[in-house]
Structure formats: structure tokens, C-alpha cells
Amino acid sequence: GAVVSQHPSWVICKSGTSVKIECRSLDFQATTMFWYRQFPKQSLMLMATSNEGSKATYEQGVEKDKFLINHASLTLSTLTVTSAHPEDSSFYICSARYGAASTDTQYFGPGTRLTVL
Amino acid sequence: DAKTTQPPSMDCAEGRAANLPCNHSTISGNEYVYWYRQIHSQGPQYIIHGLKNNETNEMASLIITEDRKSSTLILPHATLRDTAVYYCIVSNNNNDMRFGAGTRLTVKP
């Protein structure tokens, strides 16, 4: 089946530093990847849609200059949280769209837990 | 705006069928019904999806009413490992997956 990985699985950083999270589709090419954020006891919130070779599309209320997304290849998208602060602590999850037809499915990575001290 | 409505929680006895309902009364003709589940501290796992016909795979069955305003996910023989939050999502092109609150299913021994 379609497998999506994320690295790292967890990260702790100091306030003011930047953190990069990688999302890879391991056995398929993904022209579109998605980034979600999940706070404790809440549901997933879509942050942005990442298309290979073009700029990401951010959801309303998500700061594009704070959450930098790069989708440079068909198997890799990265999310960089710049100048992280404690309120950015969250569970970040990526997904990749498998296939090109409207009936195809998103497969999710295992998530990255970010803790900003 | 939530496109789907699910009960916040359900219990099921181990070995019995778990029937998880979802209302999507405003679904449009080109929207599919997707089901995912999330086990604690993991990424969501795809279960099944369908348009209007009932679907079955190795994990579950999806029953969609004729008017498509509601659906039911059936786990035929629930195990303790099926304890998770189950999300019902409607989407027309798989690019717009909006997660609601889901149903927290607890399978009890």
C-alpha cells in the first residue's frame, strides 16, 4: 500500500529557533501533499496544500511566512516552522495524494510532535 | 462549517460488529464519503470510501443510503485494536479533507 513517512517523529526546540519537518511518499509519487496541525484533544486542521514545483496554498489564518513549505520533488515536502514559539507546539501531520483521479485517496504520515520550550 | 455529523462517542463489545453512523445531508452529487481513523498519537489511517454504492474491503464495509444523506461504517468483528477516533469526511476531489470531531469508538472486552 501507499506509505508516507515523516521525520523527525518528535522534536524539542528552544523558542526562537526554526524546525524543519520532512514528509516523504515512500512507494509512490505525490504531486500534491498536505500539512495538518492537531492540538491536544482536537481534530486535525488543514494548514496548507503543497503542489510539486509551485507555491503552497495556505488556509485562512495560517501565516505563510512562519510555516514555510517546500515541495521540490514528487516524493518530498518539507514544513519549516520559523522562529518557533511555545504556542506552535503541536502534532504536525502530512498526507500525500495517491493517484490523480478524483477517487484517489490521501495517505497520512505518522506525525511529528513539536515541543517548543 | 461541518459537512458531516457524527456521534461523539460509542462503545462496542469485542467480537461484535461496530456500526458507526454519519450524517451528511448537504452532500453534493460529486462528493465522495471517506472514512479514516486515528489511533492515539498516530496519523490518520485510511479505511474506505465510496460515492453511492456500498463498498467493502478487508477492513470494513461502507453502507451509503440511497439518498446519500447518511452512511454507516461497519467493522464486522471489532477488536481492542479498533479503539480509535473515526472520522467521516465528504470531499469532491480528495484535495479538501476537512476533519470534524469524529466518533471515539471504544471496544471493550
Side-chain angles (χ1 to χ4, degrees):
Chain A
V3 180
V4 177
S5 70
Q6 284 184 240
H7 178 80
S9 56
W10 59 270
V11 57
I12 301 173
C13 70
K14 294 182 178 180
S15 185
T17 60
S18 295
V19 174
K20 179 184 285 188
I21 302 170
E22 293 185 349
C23 176
R24 294 182 185 273
S25 55
L26 297 186
D27 51 0
F28 66 100
Q29 294 184 329
T31 55
T32 306
M33 291 184 171
F34 306 85
W35 288 95
Y36 295 81
R37 179 168 55 181
Q38 186 175 33
F39 292 108
K41 299 188 184 300
Q42 295 185 21
S43 188
L44 284 76
M45 294 296 295
L46 179 65
M47 297 177 66
T49 301
S50 166
N51 291 296
E52 186 265 337
S54 63
K55 291 183 178 180
T57 302
Y58 292 82
E59 294 298 304
Q60 189 174 8
V62 178
E63 300 175 57
K64 62 179 181 181
D65 294 330
K66 181 170 184 61
F67 299 99
L68 302 179
I69 293 172
N70 183 280
H71 191 162
S73 78
L74 289 172
T75 60
L76 172 65
S77 176
T78 60
L79 169 69
T80 301
V81 183
T82 63
S83 186
H85 288 94
E87 58 266 30
D88 299 321
S89 297
S90 188
F91 192 48
Y92 292 87
I93 308 168
C94 73
S95 69
R97 184 180 178 185
Y98 177 57
S102 62
T103 58
D104 292 324
T105 305
Q106 286 186 33
Y107 289 89
F108 287 79
T112 296
R113 188 161 302 282
L114 170 64
T115 301
V116 184
L117 302 177
Chain B
D1 293 340
K3 287 188 173 183
T4 63
T5 304
Q6 299 177 254
S9 64
M10 293 181 63
D11 290 344
C12 176
E14 187 178 20
R16 304 296 295 269
N19 297 288
L20 292 92
C22 179
N23 286 325
H24 30 81
S25 58
T26 60
I27 192 170
S28 60
N30 60 350
E31 287 185 316
Y32 288 74
V33 180
Y34 292 84
W35 283 85
Y36 286 83
R37 71 181 182 184
Q38 187 178 26
I39 297 170
H40 183 63
S41 295
Q42 298 182 24
Q45 178 188 22
Y46 167 77
I47 301 174
I48 199 168
H49 75 284
L51 182 62
K52 55 183 179 181
N53 297 322
N54 297 337
E55 302 287 346
T56 295
N57 62 20
E58 64 278 5
M59 289 183 67
S61 294
L62 173 60
I63 308 298
I64 302 174
T65 58
E66 190 170 347
D67 63 7
R68 304 208 322 123
K69 293 183 183 298
S70 66
S71 61
T72 301
L73 178 74
I74 301 173
L75 307 179
H77 305 287
T79 71
L80 298 179
R81 288 176 294 180
D82 292 322
T83 292
V85 178
Y86 287 75
Y87 297 99
C88 168
I89 302 167
V90 295
S91 176
N92 61 3
N93 61 3
N94 199 28
N95 273 349
D96 194 8
M97 291 285 188
R98 307 287 170 163
F99 284 76
T103 295
R104 181 173 298 278
L105 175 69
T106 302
V107 180
K108 298 185 174 181

